Amino acid sequence: MKKLMSGNAALGEAAVLAGCTCYFGYPITPQNELTEYMAKRMPEVEGGVFIQSESEIAAINMVLGASVAGARAMTSSSSPGISLKQEGISYLAADELPAVIVNMARGGPGMGNISPAQSDYLQATRGGGHGDYRTIVLCPSSVQELADLVPVAFDLADLYRNPVLILGDGMLGQMMEPVSFDHITKGKDFPKDYILNGAKGRPSRMVRSLLFDTKEEEEHNWKLYRKVKRMEQNEVRYETTLLDDAEMVVVAYGTSARIAKGAIKRLRQEGLKVGLIRPITAWPFPKEIIKETANRVEDFFVFEMSTGQLIEDVQLSLEGKGRIHFYGRPGGVIPTPIELYRIISRHYYQSKRGKA
Amino acid sequence: MKQVYGRPKCLKEAHFHYCPGCGHSIVNRLLAEVIDEMQLRDKIICVAPAGCGMLLYNYFDIDTLESAHGRGAAVSTGIKRVLPDNLVFSYQGDGDLAAIGTAEGFHAANRGELISVIFVNNGVYGMTGGQMAPTTMIDQVTTTCPSGRNPALAGHPVKVCEVFAVLGGTSYLERVAVNKPSAVVKAKKAIVKAFQHQMNKTGFSLVEVLSPCPTNWKMTPIQSCKWIDEVMVKEFPLGVIKEVKC
Ligand SMILES: Cc1ncc(C[n+]2csc(CCOP(=O)(O)OP(=O)(O)O)c2C)c(N)n1
Ligand code: SF4
């Protein structure tokens, strides 16, 4: 059965169904509906905990505590609040603890406005906080996909014992779409041989990230690095649209991928062979498919609601091949499919002419 | 022969790293005795700070987590809400609780989180080399107030217990010291009381311990102990600051 819900509320419901029992958050637009949904829903769940924290820093540290105690824990925020959470995210990664962190991004930097933007890409994909670590970053582009990726996020967090980010934006969080939760279940239980719950009948445990011995600290960092490599190898997710015969390929994620689909439909109607690669994981980035595509396609078109943070990853994936075109609108401006259609067709014809 | 004194069971065979004459050693030892005597080893979870006390996870044979500087009360909140039947305490210094972690401590206290905070007040940032803390005495010399703390520039010593006392969620707040045997006995009783308040679900509990830091005070251990009585106690009066019926 489908229900009409906002992205934020759908995310909350999916989290509950995926076994999240702890939510800690501090209000910030445009993700308040999620905090409000959890305030209502958590008390209905067995062992459910909801706290409106005094700050984002407190919220992420409450997540850390709940996670070390063995619960599936989540927090959410928007850009400025995510900056505050980076301290705790770094500690979660260092302590090898699972957690899900949602960023419904807005037009930054600084306070930014409350309109949707994609300018937190580099912060999200490069670790964000201090130290050598990465987090898986899931980038849905519809309300249904948002709900679908929530149990995936919790499972990946448990599997790798690492924080997982869901990166959306104000548009995705606030738009209403029909969504089905029928297939969302808690999934399997992961071994919890690290949790702290009082050392009853077992040796005591300690969870820490400070290793005074540099050799030990180095080994710990290499261990985290090997985990990064495993995630890079196994967790790449992406979607392609009309790629087979494409002569120009748009790379876009989340809301901008959705806008790009609208533009591509129109471009195709006019006979322009444009396809799409949509990273679902912004990290690990789908390098291979872009590299492969570059064997036969020369023109790549990066489209992003920012001044161009995604370009870096596309460039790295191309390994010197291909040509990158870019269109971006930062600051919370939402480009229309028509606007994008016009820009892409101009670049398309220009590069054709260049070749002729 | 009856043994009257020995190593607490919940202390591992490790040597403390604390400087000679440091109050942290005494507070660690008291905690271990209390954990043994109240038979808490199997149900207690400790949240360690950044600060001189941080390495206590090397000493205690109990479940222990390190927390980011100042976040102990928030981390403890997360643990306790998931495990309401366990006993959770955070161990925090004065820089940790009264500066960087003011918000987390204050709001956990105000929410009446069923956790206990062992708050070691030595008037300086010990671990980072003796800088001024929010609790530094007026005129006290530290590396970042080399001509003495001037309240016009650096504010006044922060009285955590008195501030927390007005919050509805706090149920037990006591200030003790560890500078002489009679004070140490009282300090131990206060820790027991704090844990009892938590177990009875009465509210948030905190024990503030005035504790010598001979290294950064640039005094001998004996001078440090005297200085607590002669100077610190005047700003930070000892005794129960708040206790609701437990
Ligand atoms: C975010 C952050 N800022 C600063 C530090 C450095 N630091 C470690 S301990 C400490 C102060 C500790 O002082 P206090 O809490 O009074 O404990 P003490 O060492 O005196 O027992 C500081 C500033 C840190 N670890 N993390
Ligand atoms: S620096 Fe001070 S607080 Fe730290 S161990 Fe030494 S005496 Fe104790």
Side-chain angles (χ1 to χ4, degrees):
Chain A
M1 205 189 62
K2 288 201 173 189
K3 277 189 189 162
L4 187 67
M5 273 177 123
S6 76
N8 286 324
L11 203 166
E13 185 56 29
V16 170
L17 297 173
C20 171
T21 54
C22 292
Y23 174 89
F24 309 98
Y26 185 84
I28 182 170
T29 312
Q31 58 82 59
N32 295 322
E33 299 79 4
L34 175 53
T35 312
E36 288 162 4
Y37 192 85
M38 295 311 246
K40 190 170 66 162
R41 199 69 172 84
M42 274 291 118
E44 298 166 5
V45 171
E46 199 194 322
V49 177
F50 169 87
I51 297 180
Q52 178 174 327
S53 60
E54 61 273 21
S55 71
E56 290 83 354
I57 301 176
I60 192 75
N61 280 287
M62 289 173 189
V63 164
L64 191 143
S67 175
V68 87
R72 278 199 151 174
M74 180 168 93
T75 182
S76 64
S77 192
S78 181
S79 310
I82 294 293
S83 290
L84 291 179
K85 287 190 198 295
Q86 294 299 350
E87 173 193 88
I89 297 174
S90 169
Y91 274 81
L92 283 159
D95 290 344
E96 299 197 76
L97 294 172
V100 173
I101 299 113
V102 179
N103 181 2
M104 290 301 178
R106 58 194 236 175
M111 184 79 89
N113 58 21
I114 58 168
S115 300
Q118 294 182 312
S119 42
D120 299 350
Y121 182 87
L122 287 172
Q123 183 196 48
T125 55
R126 267 60 181 171
H130 61 282
D132 258 346
Y133 77 95
R134 294 288 168 110
T135 52
I136 294 175
V137 184
L138 298 166
C139 304
S141 77
S142 69
V143 174
Q144 183 65 59
E145 193 183 19
L146 193 53
D148 293 346
L149 286 178
V150 170
V152 174
F154 277 106
D155 283 352
L156 290 174
D158 273 348
L159 178 63
Y160 291 100
R161 282 177 49 190
N162 202 58
V164 171
L165 267 52
I166 296 178
L167 179 59
D169 58 46
M171 171 124 153
L172 200 60
Q174 297 201 313
M175 72 179 160
M176 308 269 286
E177 282 189 317
V179 52
S180 156
F181 299 100
D182 294 347
H183 53 295
I184 299 179
T185 55
K186 185 170 176 293
K188 70 172 170 137
D189 277 324
F190 290 79
K192 300 254 165 164
D193 52 2
Y194 56 92
I195 67 171
L196 304 183
N197 55 0
K200 193 167 188 171
R202 60 160 171 82
S204 57
R205 293 174 182 149
M206 58 176 151
V207 175
R208 61 178 174 160
S209 60
L210 174 98
L211 300 159
F212 268 121
D213 183 315
T214 50
K215 277 208 189 100
E216 261 184 79
E217 183 73 52
E218 185 186 26
E219 185 36 51
H220 182 60
N221 278 257
W222 282 123
K223 186 181 173 208
L224 297 181
Y225 175 77
R226 289 192 291 274
K227 182 191 290 194
V228 163
K229 289 287 134 188
R230 282 203 305 282
M231 294 190 281
E232 270 183 339
Q233 221 148 49
N234 302 326
E235 305 307 338
V236 172
R237 287 170 162 77
Y238 60 88
E239 179 197 55
T240 63
T241 309
L242 302 167
L243 194 61
D244 290 348
D245 63 342
E247 290 170 7
M248 180 178 263
V249 173
V250 180
V251 185
Y253 71 95
T255 292
S256 52
R258 206 171 155 133
I259 298 167
K261 278 187 189 170
I264 288 169
K265 199 167 162 200
R266 198 170 256 266
L267 289 158
R268 284 276 170 174
Q269 280 163 2
E270 314 243 322
L272 280 72
K273 292 190 172 157
V274 180
L276 174 75
I277 296 177
R278 174 174 77 91
I280 295 173
T281 47
W283 193 89
F285 192 73
K287 283 189 200 132
E288 284 304 316
I289 182 69
I290 292 180
K291 194 173 138 191
E292 244 170 60
T293 308
N295 288 331
R296 45 176 196 83
V297 178
E298 213 174 334
D299 290 289
F300 289 81
F301 194 105
V302 175
F303 169 52
E304 196 180 10
M305 284 149 65
S306 82
T307 56
Q309 304 193 11
L310 180 62
I311 294 175
E312 236 172 68
D313 276 338
V314 175
Q315 212 157 25
L316 287 168
S317 310
L318 287 174
E319 294 182 353
K321 288 191 245 170
R323 208 179 1 227
I324 297 178
H325 309 254
F326 174 70
Y327 187 62
R329 299 291 306 265
V333 175
I334 310 167
T336 61
I338 304 270
E339 175 182 346
L340 187 62
Y341 151 83
R342 288 205 191 103
I343 308 273
I344 294 178
S345 51
R346 199 175 71 221
H347 282 263
Y348 188 91
Y349 286 123
Q350 267 169 4
S351 63
K352 281 245 163 184
R353 227 173 289 137
K355 271 183 247 165
Chain B
M1 204 170 23
K2 187 174 165 232
Q3 187 183 345
V4 291
Y5 200 73
R7 188 183 195 84
K9 276 212 315 267
C10 72
L11 275 187
K12 293 179 198 161
E13 287 289 334
H15 293 289
F16 284 171
H17 68 285
Y18 305 111
C19 307
C22 175
H24 276 299
S25 315
I26 303 171
V27 182
N28 280 204
R29 159 91 202 189
L30 292 181
L31 268 166
E33 287 177 8
V34 169
I35 292 168
D36 276 4
E37 286 160 24
M38 293 177 81
Q39 300 185 330
L40 297 172
R41 190 262 175 204
D42 288 356
K43 67 181 300 195
I44 200 161
I45 300 157
C46 168
V47 177
C52 281
M54 82 183 306
L55 289 177
L56 58 75
Y57 48 61
N58 285 336
Y59 312 139
F60 283 81
D61 177 25
I62 59 173
D63 276 4
T64 314
L65 168 76
E66 158 207 283
S67 88
H69 192 27
R71 316 295 175 227
V75 173
S76 303
T77 297
I79 299 175
K80 182 72 182 194
R81 291 285 185 118
V82 175
L83 303 169
D85 297 330
N86 287 67
L87 204 94
V88 181
F89 76 97
S90 69
Y91 187 100
Q92 301 184 251
D94 44 0
D96 197 76
L97 186 73
I100 191 169
T102 321
E104 288 80 2
F106 182 94
H107 289 280
N110 189 50
R111 285 191 304 267
E113 294 295 340
L114 299 173
I115 59 172
S116 307
V117 176
I118 307 301
F119 170 44
V120 179
N121 178 358
N122 57 19
V124 287
Y125 286 41
M127 188 181 221
T128 43
Q131 296 85 4
M132 184 180 67
T135 45
T136 296
M137 296 288 103
I138 289 169
D139 292 333
Q140 186 183 344
V141 171
T142 75
T143 58
T144 49
C145 51
S147 19
R149 180 179 190 163
N150 173 357
L153 298 174
H156 296 261
V158 171
K159 296 183 170 79
V160 169
C161 282
E162 285 78 355
V163 171
F164 281 18
V166 297
L167 303 175
T170 51
S171 77
Y172 177 70
L173 306 164
E174 179 163 1
R175 189 179 289 118
V176 296
V178 286
N179 62 335
K180 56 189 174 205
S182 59
V184 170
V185 172
K186 282 189 190 148
K188 183 170 170 181
K189 282 193 182 136
I191 295 172
V192 170
K193 265 248 172 93
F195 287 171
Q196 280 167 344
H197 272 255
Q198 182 178 161
M199 288 192 292
N200 291 344
K201 305 194 188 303
T202 322
F204 178 93
S205 52
L206 176 142
V207 178
E208 175 172 344
V209 188
L210 303 186
S211 166
C213 174
T215 304
N216 288 307
W217 294 358
K218 313 243 180 302
M219 294 179 198
T220 64
I222 290 174
Q223 284 169 336
S224 306
C225 288
K226 277 203 186 127
W227 195 74
I228 290 183
D229 276 339
E230 286 162 11
V231 182
M232 265 186 119
V233 164
K234 303 220 163 76
E235 186 72 38
F236 296 116
L238 301 181
V240 175
I241 310 293
K242 177 176 181 181
E243 182 171 17
V244 303
K245 210 161 157 277
C246 173

